[in-house]
Amino acid sequence: MEYKNDTLTVRGDWALANYQTLKQKVDDYSGEQWSVENVDLKGLGRIDTAGASLLVALLGPETLSALAKHDGTLPQEQSALLQAVADAMQEKPPPEPEGLAPITQFLTETGKTVEAIWHLVYLLAGFVGQILATLFVVLPRPSRWRVTPFVAAVQNTGLNALPIVALLTFLVGAVVAFLGATVLKDFGATIYTVNLVAFSFLREFGVLLAAILLAGRTASAFTAQIGAMKVNEELDAIRTLGLDPVELLVIPRVLAMMISLPILTFVGILSGLVGGGMVCAIALDISPAQFMAIMGRDIELKHFLVGMSKAPIFAFLIAAIGCLEGFKVGGSAQSVGVHTTSSVVQSIFMVILLDAVAALFFMEMGW
């Protein structure tokens, strides 16, 4: 390496065997700014990744990348190696600053978290758009329907989840009735425990508990299944065969969830009402016939429709998040575990967030 007449001439073998000698020469020119016109690579001999990384440290990734692209004297394999190393080192994140004040560290971490959340929302919005576009293409063409995976997904997401949903909503209905009886007793209004149980399960608890259970049970399963396929390179095989993984793997799961969750919501509402009615019969001497009469008199059909209307939306988002996290899995078992956990957390968060937004919307609309 020689600097003469405002031109830096690079010659010889830049390989691992000469790393220490080359490193000292590179350190001698540290801090200098080089442009494409000031560097001559015609005398460059053999080079490997160690030597290429030293050239990046010497010239900078932008300058070396430009030289690799436009210098016609370099062999094609050397040009490709320099380009790859320059691109890799150019994308390396800057080192973390040391000695930051606590408030600066807090703001830095907050900014990183907000950026990560925005990135997740951006990816989810794009994936939802891809699912909708595929649905518009597939649904009008019955020959492209995947009936067998759809039926299997309905069984796994719906029928197999019925017992746990029914049991959980039954117990929660009993708890809500006990709570209402305890609080309303002081006001002499224990009869309104029926209204409390009916309103809470028809509008909120039925769909919310079923959605949260599916978020933990099914979204994680979708992520693990698709993630394992990616680790085993099955997704690459599907693309090699000319098939669309979204159409093949995602659409049957999304449609199955949109069928299963409304059914589970309906079962959850019935189980919650049964649990609340049982407590009312045992603790408040409100017979099942009186319980049903009060519901028929005071509870309008719109409350049931409000709760059921949220089920398909929750199901679509849960399935989309579970499948998206599966596609984001890397090449290791640890990545499968990380994204499975992430899919559960994201699904439950989105369900609760949308439920809160829907509650405000229906309240303002008077529904």
Side-chain angles (χ1 to χ4, degrees):
M1 186 169 60
E2 181 182 3
Y3 180 63
K4 188 176 182 180
N5 297 329
D6 294 331
T7 300
L8 180 68
T9 303
V10 178
R11 60 167 62 96
D13 294 337
W14 287 64
L16 183 61
N18 306 325
Y19 186 85
Q20 292 298 331
T21 304
L22 294 171
K23 182 70 167 60
Q24 294 177 1
K25 293 183 178 181
V26 169
D27 292 340
D28 293 339
Y29 290 96
S30 62
E32 297 287 343
Q33 298 294 327
W34 306 102
S35 62
V36 177
E37 295 79 11
N38 296 71
V39 180
D40 181 11
L41 298 180
K42 294 178 182 178
L44 183 63
R46 189 166 55 89
I47 186 171
D48 57 13
T49 53
S53 64
L54 286 177
L55 282 178
V56 173
L58 174 64
L59 305 176
E62 294 85 2
T63 302
L64 185 60
S65 179
L67 282 168
K69 288 180 180 178
H70 305 297
D71 193 338
T73 62
L74 289 175
Q76 184 177 359
E77 60 273 11
Q78 287 189 354
S79 178
L81 175 62
L82 294 176
Q83 181 70 51
V85 174
D87 291 343
M89 297 185 70
Q90 189 173 6
E91 295 173 358
K92 190 168 71 172
E96 293 289 338
E98 299 180 358
L100 292 178
I103 184 65
T104 306
Q105 291 180 351
F106 172 76
L107 293 176
T108 302
E109 294 300 323
T110 302
K112 290 180 179 179
T113 303
V114 172
E115 185 180 7
I117 292 174
W118 166 249
H119 184 64
L120 288 174
V121 173
Y122 178 80
L123 288 178
L124 180 60
F127 191 65
V128 167
Q130 188 176 4
I131 292 174
L132 293 177
T134 307
L135 278 173
F136 286 132
V137 173
V138 172
L139 289 182
R141 298 171 174 82
S143 61
R144 298 178 64 174
W145 293 357
R146 307 282 178 174
V147 179
T148 302
F150 169 75
V151 174
V154 170
Q155 179 180 0
N156 291 330
T157 61
L159 296 179
N160 294 345
L162 275 176
I164 184 64
V165 171
L167 177 61
L168 180 66
T169 50
F170 175 83
L171 295 176
V172 173
V175 170
V176 171
F178 271 123
L179 180 63
T182 303
V183 174
L184 296 175
K185 182 179 180 180
D186 297 335
F187 302 95
T190 53
I191 193 67
Y192 291 104
T193 302
V194 177
N195 301 66
L196 174 64
V197 173
F199 272 112
S200 60
F201 272 89
L202 288 174
R203 293 183 69 97
E204 299 294 339
F205 283 165
V207 63
L208 195 60
L209 291 174
I212 290 175
L213 276 174
L214 280 192
R217 182 183 182 277
T218 307
S220 59
F222 287 174
T223 303
Q225 291 165 3
I226 297 177
M229 294 179 69
K230 187 172 183 182
V231 171
N232 295 331
E233 300 181 352
E234 295 177 42
L235 295 183
D236 297 332
I238 290 174
R239 293 189 180 96
T240 302
L241 293 173
L243 301 174
D244 183 9
V246 174
E247 179 182 342
L248 192 67
L249 302 175
V250 178
I251 298 301
R253 288 173 167 83
V254 170
L255 294 178
M257 282 284 287
M258 295 180 70
I259 296 295
S260 298
L261 187 54
I263 296 174
L264 293 177
T265 299
F266 182 73
V267 171
I269 290 173
L270 292 181
S271 299
L273 293 177
V274 170
M278 187 189 69
V279 171
C280 289
I282 295 174
L284 303 177
D285 293 328
I286 300 176
S287 66
Q290 188 178 4
F291 187 94
M292 296 300 298
I294 295 172
M295 278 190 58
R297 183 192 65 196
D298 297 341
I299 309 301
E300 300 179 19
L301 178 63
K302 67 178 182 180
H303 302 300
F304 171 75
L305 297 178
V306 164
M308 293 297 296
S309 66
K310 294 184 283 188
I313 301 173
F314 290 170
F316 183 88
L317 280 176
I318 291 170
I321 291 172
C323 294
L324 174 61
E325 290 299 312
F327 284 113
K328 290 162 62 178
V329 168
S332 65
Q334 181 182 3
S335 180
V336 175
V338 169
H339 287 286
T340 300
T341 303
S342 178
S343 70
V344 174
V345 173
Q346 290 182 47
S347 300
I348 294 176
F349 175 79
M350 289 299 296
V351 164
I352 296 175
L353 176 63
L354 286 180
D355 187 70
V357 173
L360 292 174
F361 172 77
F362 289 132
M363 182 181 68
E364 292 296 327
M365 296 297 293
W367 297 347

